[in-house]
Amino acid sequence: MNTKQVVTRFPPSPTGTLHIGGARTALFNWLFARHYHGKFVLRIEDTDKLRSTRDNTDSIIESLRWLGLDWDEGPYFQSQRMEIYNEMIEELLSSGNAYYCHCKPEELERKKAEAKKRGLKPKYDGRCRELGLGKAPGAVVRLKSPLSGTTTFKDLVKGVISIDNEELDDLILQRSDGSFTYNFAVVVDDSKMGINYVIRGDDHVNNTPRQILIYKALGEPIPLYAHLPMILGPDKTPLSKRHGATSVMAYKEMGFLPHALLNSLARLGWSHGDQEKFTTQELIDLFSLDHVGKSAGIFNMEKLLDLNAKYIREVDDSNLADLLIPFLNNLGCSGLNRKKVKEAVKTLKARAKTLLEMAQGALFYFKEITYEKQADEKFLRPEVLEILEDLLSDLERTTGFAQEELEKTFSTFLERHQIKLGKVAQPLRVALTGKTVSPGIFEIMEVMGQEMVIKRLSNAISHTKSKKGP
RNA sequence: GGUCCCAUCGUCUAGCGGUCUAGGACGCCGGCCUCUCACGCCGGUAACACGGGUUCGAGUCCCGUUGGGACUACCA
């Protein structure tokens, strides 16, 4: 039995915000670590000084927190680990597993182009490999990798993958400006941090043999790998900024619940029979790499929307009100009465797929309304004036504004006029909300309260009267 | 070009040689419910890329074809 603790990691590069693909990678690493009661490490790969920003780092961290993906160690910053990389370079140099190369970039470029033209592999020719060159301005450090043989690893999702070492050339570990390359830094960090499961995007499979070679040169144990399939946009190309909303924070702003996103991400590439909905605990208990699919998938917005709607319905009214208030504020509603928001939420929760949508649907409770043109023309007609006026006087007279009481008031009203509810419901709805679509009229009347209902109804009546003309 | 990876309904997927005339979910289309819209409920639509093997038997294993994708940087 292997008693070694599982250690996974998520190493975002702060050259952008956390996007859907990154979030899924983080989630799988997190789930795997939690499932095995292991450790989840966060490491910021900010070696690209030009493109890495503090804002992006903060935003990535905020996104992870929002999703509820907590880490046990870190965040580490690669930019603060230069001494370690340097030490490792020295070690490789002295063990003969790496060497200085003095070749000029332009020269290499030229050779590469030439090789390509002749249909050969554009790889480094190993000119400086055995020269025993020393440090010099413009020199880089290269890995002395095996010329023959194959490098094989058993990917936990893809199976055995092997590649001839001939395909790999002596890759650069340290650049001429002293900085370190990605493949090198990753291996050093993963190794130093004790990462034993590397779960990452599919786009790294080709890097894996190179990294394994570095582990071997370092004499360090090689982790187990699991490569996750890519997430594609609707056009079947890898998800990118072009696809609009790809950043996790954008989903927050659109009114998605973090758990809905999480659930949705989990189901993209992983499955557990026919189950679609999972609590976080179920995800942790059930997650395993052998039910991760091998093929790339398209991120399905419709399904996320549906899941989000389902989860919204599960949140209790009071919490939902708290979640909704910021969205309402953004839409210009201030000084909100929390209790009224809660009552409003009750009427809206089955009708909104996102918090934003719900806030928009709740606006008529909290802001002055305007009549939608179509609604106005179709339902606020002089023919219904008489009925509306009579209804208004009934509503003014009644003392009960709870739903059941309103229903009673209405049934006697309808009986007196010998009409069906359908006849008054739509005009009344337009009068109260300005729209033809809303929650049930009794529900909204109760939430609005007598005063507002009477005011809106009389406004609608005078508005309709004004249409008659002289 | 080379190397590597991938291939079930429109989409996410179940399927780990027989239970598959291929199941679930989203979407879409009907219906019921009904004061509108939703919710809910009921029903329907729709897929194993192709061709060879292996086997008594293949969606499931092997090979090839085709089609996607990744990598091929002194980016990560």
Side-chain angles (χ1 to χ4, degrees):
Chain A
M1 192 183 132
N2 186 4
T3 52
K4 202 161 74 172
Q5 186 191 33
V6 165
V7 186
T8 65
R9 103 261 128 121
F10 178 56
S13 166
T15 53
T17 56
L18 183 66
H19 56 94
I20 292 301
R24 208 253 327 231
T25 303
L27 172 64
F28 282 26
N29 275 284
W30 183 82
L31 287 175
F32 191 75
R34 291 289 170 265
H35 180 88
Y36 288 104
H37 305 289
K39 218 161 54 173
F40 177 57
V41 178
L42 177 62
R43 179 174 75 228
I44 306 294
E45 309 215 323
D46 57 349
T47 50
D48 186 340
K49 284 246 166 24
L50 289 174
R51 297 190 299 146
S52 298
T53 70
R54 178 60 202 261
D55 279 359
N56 285 332
T57 302
D58 292 345
S59 165
I60 288 168
I61 286 176
E62 190 190 347
S63 298
L64 290 171
R65 291 222 168 98
W66 181 67
L67 287 170
L69 303 180
D70 56 338
W71 50 96
D72 307 297
E73 233 179 67
Y76 290 108
F77 291 84
Q78 285 191 322
S79 58
Q80 293 166 9
R81 299 171 59 79
M82 295 302 155
E83 330 74 59
I84 299 172
Y85 306 136
N86 259 317
E87 273 171 39
M88 292 300 110
I89 287 285
E90 287 310 319
E91 209 177 296
L92 288 172
L93 247 15
S94 60
S95 66
N97 282 305
Y99 60 92
Y100 282 106
C101 168
H102 290 4
C103 294
K104 297 266 174 298
E106 312 84 62
E107 191 185 333
L108 260 18
E109 209 45 60
R110 211 201 66 233
K111 280 185 184 169
K112 216 175 264 184
E114 210 170 280
K116 225 171 179 173
K117 212 164 62 187
R118 291 196 292 153
L120 297 170
K121 287 185 210 321
K123 54 181 265 192
Y124 176 62
D125 63 2
R127 167 171 303 256
C128 303
R129 188 176 162 105
E130 305 296 345
L131 264 33
L133 267 16
K135 196 170 187 166
V140 299
V141 175
R142 285 184 186 271
L143 178 74
K144 191 185 266 184
S145 53
L147 271 7
S148 59
T150 63
T151 296
T152 301
F153 65 99
K154 186 171 182 298
D155 191 280
L156 266 17
V157 352
K158 308 243 181 212
V160 175
I161 294 174
S162 70
I163 183 165
D164 287 342
N165 289 335
E166 278 177 55
E167 299 297 330
L168 282 10
D169 57 3
D170 287 351
L171 80 205
I172 292 173
L173 269 20
Q174 185 173 26
R175 302 187 189 100
S176 54
D177 67 355
S179 63
F180 304 91
T181 58
Y182 166 75
N183 281 309
F184 177 67
V186 164
V187 170
V188 170
D189 285 340
D190 284 347
S191 165
K192 292 280 177 203
M193 293 171 191
I195 309 298
N196 45 26
Y197 284 86
V198 172
I199 303 168
R200 72 220 312 191
D202 211 333
D203 47 340
H204 287 290
V205 290
N206 292 286
N207 280 327
T208 307
R210 300 174 218 285
Q211 293 178 192
I212 288 176
L213 258 20
I214 300 176
Y215 276 102
K216 284 184 172 163
L218 249 19
E220 294 294 335
I222 298 161
L224 263 20
Y225 291 93
H227 287 97
L228 275 19
M230 301 264 83
I231 297 180
L232 274 22
D235 58 354
K236 296 180 192 247
T237 66
L239 213 53
S240 73
K241 316 93 225 157
R242 283 187 300 106
H243 293 100
T246 58
S247 115
V248 168
M249 279 302 134
Y251 284 86
K252 181 185 180 192
E253 280 152 28
M254 287 185 285
F256 285 96
L257 263 20
H259 186 67
L261 222 208
L262 222 52
N263 192 150
S264 177
L265 253 19
R267 282 289 290 107
L268 222 196
W270 173 81
S271 62
H272 182 258
D274 285 340
Q275 191 171 344
E276 296 285 349
K277 276 178 84 220
F278 300 85
T279 62
T280 302
Q281 194 55 49
E282 284 177 312
L283 248 20
I284 291 171
D285 293 342
L286 266 17
F287 187 77
S288 92
L289 254 16
D290 43 53
H291 279 92
V292 172
K294 294 182 186 185
S295 52
I298 296 171
F299 183 67
N300 192 183
M301 190 66 164
E302 297 300 325
K303 207 160 171 170
L304 202 215
L305 243 13
D306 177 71
L307 251 190
N308 200 52
K310 288 188 165 106
Y311 281 120
I312 280 178
R313 276 174 243 143
E314 288 177 12
V315 178
D316 72 78
D317 301 334
S318 161
N319 288 138
L320 203 47
D322 289 337
L323 291 171
L324 191 65
I325 287 173
F327 287 88
L328 248 13
N329 289 152
N330 278 343
L331 292 175
C333 304
S334 51
L336 293 165
N337 174 336
R338 201 173 158 280
K339 184 148 180 289
K340 186 171 175 185
V341 175
K342 183 179 161 185
E343 294 307 308
V345 151
K346 256 187 215 167
T347 71
L348 260 11
K349 67 195 291 190
R351 290 167 232 264
K353 289 185 189 296
T354 65
L355 293 171
L356 180 57
E357 198 183 311
M358 186 181 290
Q360 281 157 346
L363 248 28
F364 70 86
Y365 285 124
F366 307 105
K367 281 178 97 168
E368 287 303 310
I369 58 164
T370 54
Y371 304 120
E372 278 176 1
K373 191 162 175 289
Q374 298 269 329
D376 185 11
E377 285 168 1
K378 186 162 178 200
F379 295 108
L380 296 183
R381 311 176 66 104
E383 300 92 272
V384 296
L385 265 176
E386 202 181 315
I387 290 174
L388 290 183
E389 281 179 316
D390 195 37
L391 178 62
L392 176 60
S393 76
D394 273 19
L395 291 174
E396 278 170 335
R397 226 169 310 139
T398 186
T399 50
F401 241 67
Q403 254 192 80
E404 315 79 67
E405 295 168 307
L406 285 167
E407 277 169 39
K408 269 183 214 143
T409 307
F410 267 72
S411 78
T412 58
F413 172 81
L414 294 173
E415 216 166 293
R416 173 150 41 88
H417 284 265
Q418 283 298 300
I419 53 171
K420 294 216 167 150
L421 180 58
K423 184 99 175 172
V424 269
Q426 281 306 80
L428 179 57
R429 189 185 314 281
V430 176
L432 298 179
T433 70
K435 296 180 290 190
T436 56
V437 170
S438 83
I441 47 169
F442 301 124
E443 294 175 75
I444 62 179
M445 283 164 81
E446 179 177 344
V447 176
M448 284 180 165
Q450 191 164 20
E451 191 184 336
M452 184 183 264
V453 167
I454 284 167
K455 192 170 147 234
R456 288 201 176 163
L457 186 50
S458 34
N459 282 161
I461 287 168
S462 45
H463 166 78
T464 308
K465 272 185 183 158
S466 73
K467 287 184 187 175
K468 273 212 253 183

